[in-house]
Amino acid sequence: MADSNDIIVVRNLCKNFGHLEVLKDISTEFKEKEVVSIIGPSGGGKSTFLRCLNLLEIPTSGNIIFDGTDICSKGVDINRERERIGMVFQHFNLFNNMNVMKNLTIAPIKIKKMAKDAAEDKAMELLKRLGLEDKADYYPAQLSGGQKQRIAIMRSLMMDPEVMLFDEPTSALDPEMIGEVLDVMKSLAESGMTMIIVTHEMRFAREVSDRVIFLDGGRIDEDRRAKDFFDDPHSPRLISFLNKVL
């Protein structure tokens, strides 16, 4: 049952690609300031589910209620709603023809009508916080994978989102770069950001998440507090999965 702390409520969500059922009647809620990790086997529907939450994928049926508004309803300005939901992708999705500063400031200037000076001041403040202030004039091709992903996270933060969605943010990184991105995500969690994260990083999911969802075959197989999820899994399918990945 939804309550007043729920910022996203999902009800009976289904997603088909032709005859292929990818999501099968998913219902769950996400609370303000909650960190939820979504884990499961490849092809289980994790990324599709995440992309449905801001309508990058259009659900076949069901409802997604974001802060009281059913964003699946006709007439909803989804672009306005998306301004409040940040998204970080596996492959960064930075603009390669723009330097870091332009990547960070283009959306707040064009979409939120922020003054250029104010946007650049905010961007520099974020860059300094992550120790990347010397990269403001660099282009994405001049950055490491870890630096690109941290810039991608900052680009979302420039829009002051209420929720951040992360689609396997470390899976395209070399192992030594994963930690620097996870550290940024940990600090975001500590600041009270609502975060929904598709991840293969089990230690991160255990240490940082409030809740963990196991998505398998397009259904939620288990959804529990992080400690209980890992220490006392109930589902035979989850037990088998954890035995292979831990």
Side-chain angles (χ1 to χ4, degrees):
M1 197 69 164
D3 68 33
S4 59
N5 290 325
D6 293 332
I7 191 162
I8 298 177
V9 178
V10 180
R11 288 289 173 261
N12 309 113
L13 183 69
C14 298
K15 174 63 182 175
N16 300 345
F17 292 101
H19 296 296
L20 179 64
E21 282 186 289
V22 178
L23 301 178
K24 304 169 184 175
D25 197 33
I26 289 179
S27 295
T28 189
E29 302 90 27
F30 301 96
K31 299 188 182 304
E32 290 184 43
K33 300 187 177 182
E34 187 176 41
V35 179
V36 180
S37 288
I38 302 172
I39 70 168
S42 295
K46 304 183 301 297
S47 289
T48 299
F49 175 61
L50 197 76
R51 291 169 67 87
C52 281
L53 294 180
N54 65 355
L55 297 199
L56 287 179
E57 296 288 355
I58 305 300
T60 303
S61 61
N63 306 93
I64 300 167
I65 297 133
F66 171 56
D67 196 22
T69 298
D70 186 349
I71 63 173
C72 298
S73 296
K74 287 182 180 175
V76 169
D77 183 350
I78 188 55
N79 290 322
R80 179 169 296 227
E81 301 301 327
R82 280 193 190 127
E83 288 178 28
R84 304 164 62 199
I85 305 173
M87 181 96 182
V88 178
F89 299 89
Q90 180 177 348
H91 292 290
F92 327 126
N93 288 18
L94 297 175
F95 297 112
N96 290 322
N97 62 332
M98 298 179 187
N99 66 19
V100 165
M101 181 59 72
K102 195 75 182 287
N103 263 283
L104 292 176
T105 58
I106 186 169
I109 290 171
K110 291 203 166 205
I111 297 170
K112 297 191 91 171
K113 309 302 180 188
M114 186 183 287
K116 183 172 183 280
D117 287 350
E120 290 183 349
D121 287 347
K122 182 173 182 176
M124 189 55 73
E125 187 180 312
L126 283 170
L127 287 167
K128 284 178 180 172
R129 194 189 307 174
L130 297 189
L132 292 172
E133 64 267 33
D134 60 330
K135 308 297 184 190
D137 295 324
Y138 281 46
Y139 285 79
Q142 299 172 287
L143 303 173
S144 70
Q147 289 168 341
K148 287 179 193 174
Q149 194 59 292
R150 285 185 286 164
I151 298 297
I153 293 171
M154 280 188 271
R155 182 178 58 181
S156 285
L157 292 176
M158 286 291 294
M159 298 295 285
D160 294 320
E162 292 163 49
V163 177
M164 290 276 285
L165 309 178
F166 294 86
D167 190 7
E168 301 193 23
T170 60
S171 62
L173 300 179
D174 293 332
E176 67 267 24
M177 296 175 184
I178 290 172
E180 61 193 39
V181 173
L182 293 181
D183 284 345
V184 174
M185 293 170 66
K186 284 178 187 173
S187 69
L188 267 182
E190 288 164 2
S191 75
M193 175 64 73
T194 306
M195 300 164 64
I196 306 170
I197 307 153
V198 171
T199 185
H200 293 293
E201 297 294 329
M202 296 299 132
R203 179 186 288 182
F204 176 86
R206 180 175 193 136
E207 292 177 359
V208 179
S209 306
D210 299 297
R211 252 170 69 217
V212 183
I213 292 172
F214 180 59
L215 200 59
D216 182 39
R219 300 183 191 276
I220 291 179
D221 195 56
E222 196 147 338
D223 177 355
R224 302 173 69 204
R225 308 301 292 176
K227 186 176 188 310
D228 298 331
F229 182 96
F230 287 103
D231 290 348
D232 185 28
H234 288 175
S235 152
R237 181 69 185 90
L238 174 58
I239 292 168
S240 170
F241 178 82
L242 291 177
N243 282 339
K244 290 174 183 170
V245 299
L246 292 179

